[in-house]
Amino acid sequence: MSIFKSHISQMGAYKPPLEGRDNHQHLLLDFNERVLPVAPAVKQALIDFINDDQLQVYPAYGNITQKIADYCGVKSEQVMITNGSDQGIDLIIRSACQEGDEAIIPGPTFAMYHQCAKVENLNIIEPTYSRENGFPKQAVIDAITNKTRLIVLANPNNPCGTPVARETILEIAKAAPQAATLVDECYFEYTRQTVCDAVEEYPNLLVTRTFSKTWGLPSVRLGYVISRKENIDALLNVRGPYDVNQLAVVAIDAALSNPEYTQEYVKEVIEVSKPMLEAFLDKKAIKYWPTVANYIWVFPDNPDAMEKHIRASGILVRPKLDANGRKGLRITLGNKRQTLKLEQCLSSFEIN
Ligand SMILES: Cc1ncc(COP(=O)(O)O)c(C=O)c1O
């Protein structure tokens, strides 16, 4: 007999396929990461911190929250830093929901929402995205009941790259004032679409963001939540005082002081690599979902063979199933050189 709550013992762990990933051996197009190293100033800041013998001291966050708030154009009292946006998602769900509540999580989507919702033993309602119709707006609105305590809106969604229009997000938040409306802006820098300016007007709106993707720092784990002060204060009652490690704060402080590294990368990915790969896929008549993010979900006739071929060339991509169980390959966009490498590899693959 388990000492844990029965639904916890019955759950599965969230296990991303990390085995064998080595960026010195592979071109990693499987986790939507930045595919280039970070700014030298970020590396130097970490080295300086270590050499300054500060590792034995507990974390103190200084003005990092203010710096992030300035970057986002909100007040610092509207921001809480977290151990990756995964922690923000977890804290919001834990703090807003209890066993038996309903959670609307359009899918297929990022696994962490389900993981956290299952820990709380929520009833998950999953309207589905489609390539043709995008975000299932009406199904989400129709699913709202007086038991709804959570609505997840990933903007854009992972794995499909589908955006949710600002008016739609606000309409949904208004239609379910009793529910935490969690808007995941993990890929914000690629889209520049945000509702963080609306958190004061919409008391149930919570935005999560991260330094893991565009900023290239998933290893140090820093995310943040933006919401009205009352919500941030409540979430701070749950977050631990040292949940964010000091190396993350040092690295992100330096990254924010060198934003051109991020901006230039985003520009190349969105303005060069994305149209390049889309044109290539069109020419090869390989179907893919329209995307606004740094990844493209492609649906070749033979995804397993294609993945094997790509892997044999030292490139990793991520297989993902659509709502009908059909397998596609989610391919992260890198810079122009990396996209050319991928195209060369795909050119030597027999499509049918
Ligand atoms: C939509 C989405 N949200 C959140 C995350 C997690 O980000 P973090 O590394 O900040 O926990 C990911 C990572 O893949 C993601 O795709």
Side-chain angles (χ1 to χ4, degrees):
M1 204 186 100
S2 172
I3 53 164
F4 297 113
K5 296 169 193 160
S6 59
H7 73 276
I8 300 277
S9 319
Q10 281 155 22
M11 280 178 62
Y14 170 32
K15 282 196 202 139
L18 292 162
E19 198 82 354
R21 291 184 90 229
D22 180 347
N23 65 329
H24 297 299
Q25 278 182 22
H26 303 117
L27 173 55
L28 299 180
L29 303 183
D30 53 347
F31 273 61
N32 301 342
E33 294 156 323
R34 175 185 163 106
V35 202
L36 289 181
V38 296
V42 173
K43 297 184 200 172
Q44 194 56 50
L46 290 167
I47 292 166
D48 291 348
F49 174 80
I50 291 167
N51 287 339
D52 195 33
D53 280 340
Q54 297 190 54
L55 284 173
Q56 68 272 34
V57 181
Y58 271 98
Y61 302 139
N63 64 354
I64 195 70
T65 304
Q66 183 65 58
K67 280 198 172 175
I68 294 172
D70 292 345
Y71 167 68
C72 301
V74 299
K75 296 184 194 146
S76 70
E77 63 191 29
Q78 296 173 323
V79 176
M80 176 182 74
I81 57 170
T82 54
N83 192 303
S85 50
D86 280 354
Q87 192 195 19
I89 293 164
D90 183 42
L91 287 177
I92 291 167
I93 296 179
R94 268 207 281 151
S95 308
C97 306
Q98 53 192 330
E99 180 150 357
D101 286 344
E102 289 176 5
I104 304 173
I105 308 178
T109 192
F110 176 51
M112 195 64 191
Y113 315 131
H114 279 254
Q115 195 69 18
C116 299
K118 282 182 189 158
V119 170
E120 297 312 311
N121 215 4
L122 307 183
N123 292 325
I124 300 173
I125 295 109
E126 190 175 2
T128 51
Y129 283 83
S130 69
R131 189 157 78 91
E132 295 67 30
N133 303 319
F135 174 74
K137 175 181 169 183
Q138 200 50 50
V140 169
I141 291 175
D142 292 348
I144 295 170
T145 72
N146 57 11
K147 284 191 176 163
T148 309
R149 287 285 175 276
L150 172 73
I151 304 175
V152 176
L153 304 172
N155 190 26
N157 188 40
N158 169 11
C160 51
T162 310
V164 191
R166 179 185 171 88
E167 319 78 74
T168 303
I169 294 173
L170 299 180
E171 188 182 330
I172 291 169
K174 205 167 179 181
Q178 78 289 357
T181 306
L182 191 173
V183 182
D184 185 343
E185 295 183 358
C186 180
Y187 301 93
F188 161 72
E189 284 79 8
Y190 291 110
T191 68
R192 310 300 304 171
Q193 300 299 314
T194 184
V195 288
C196 73
D197 56 301
V199 295
E200 219 40 69
E201 200 183 332
Y202 292 80
N204 58 332
L205 201 58
L206 301 118
V207 176
T208 53
R209 288 211 199 146
T210 186
F211 286 92
S212 289
K213 304 292 180 182
T214 26
W215 294 86
L217 289 157
S219 53
V220 295
R221 315 298 300 136
L222 193 84
Y224 51 101
V225 179
I226 303 171
S227 194
R228 72 203 295 241
K229 181 182 183 309
E230 292 78 352
N231 295 340
I232 294 297
D233 287 347
L235 291 171
L236 280 168
N237 294 340
V238 187
R239 199 205 65 189
Y242 315 121
D243 283 357
V244 173
N245 77 77
Q246 193 71 51
L247 292 170
V249 173
V250 168
I252 273 71
D253 198 350
L256 282 169
S257 302
N258 296 272
E260 65 283 358
Y261 270 80
T262 297
Q263 289 155 0
E264 281 161 18
Y265 183 74
V266 167
K267 198 168 154 50
E268 183 164 353
V269 166
I270 294 297
E271 293 179 15
V272 181
S273 302
K274 183 171 177 287
M276 230 174 97
L277 187 58
E278 286 168 344
F280 177 88
L281 294 168
D282 288 341
K283 209 168 101 206
K284 294 268 178 198
I286 301 174
K287 287 205 172 65
Y288 60 92
W289 284 48
T291 176
V292 295
N294 65 325
Y295 46 88
I296 302 190
W297 202 15
V298 303
F299 283 81
D301 290 339
N302 39 8
D304 290 331
M306 188 190 263
E307 202 229 330
K308 217 171 137 200
H309 176 83
I310 296 174
R311 187 178 279 270
S313 307
I315 303 173
L316 303 188
V317 299
R318 188 89 171 259
K320 289 274 173 189
L321 301 181
D322 74 7
N324 299 317
R326 186 170 167 207
K327 193 185 281 178
L329 302 178
R330 193 195 63 197
I331 304 179
T332 304
L333 293 157
N335 67 4
K336 183 178 175 186
R337 187 176 50 77
Q338 293 160 335
T339 308
L340 272 173
K341 183 174 173 184
L342 174 73
E343 289 187 3
Q344 271 163 10
C345 164
L346 288 174
S347 293
S348 63
F349 175 68
E350 207 52 55
I351 299 292
N352 292 304

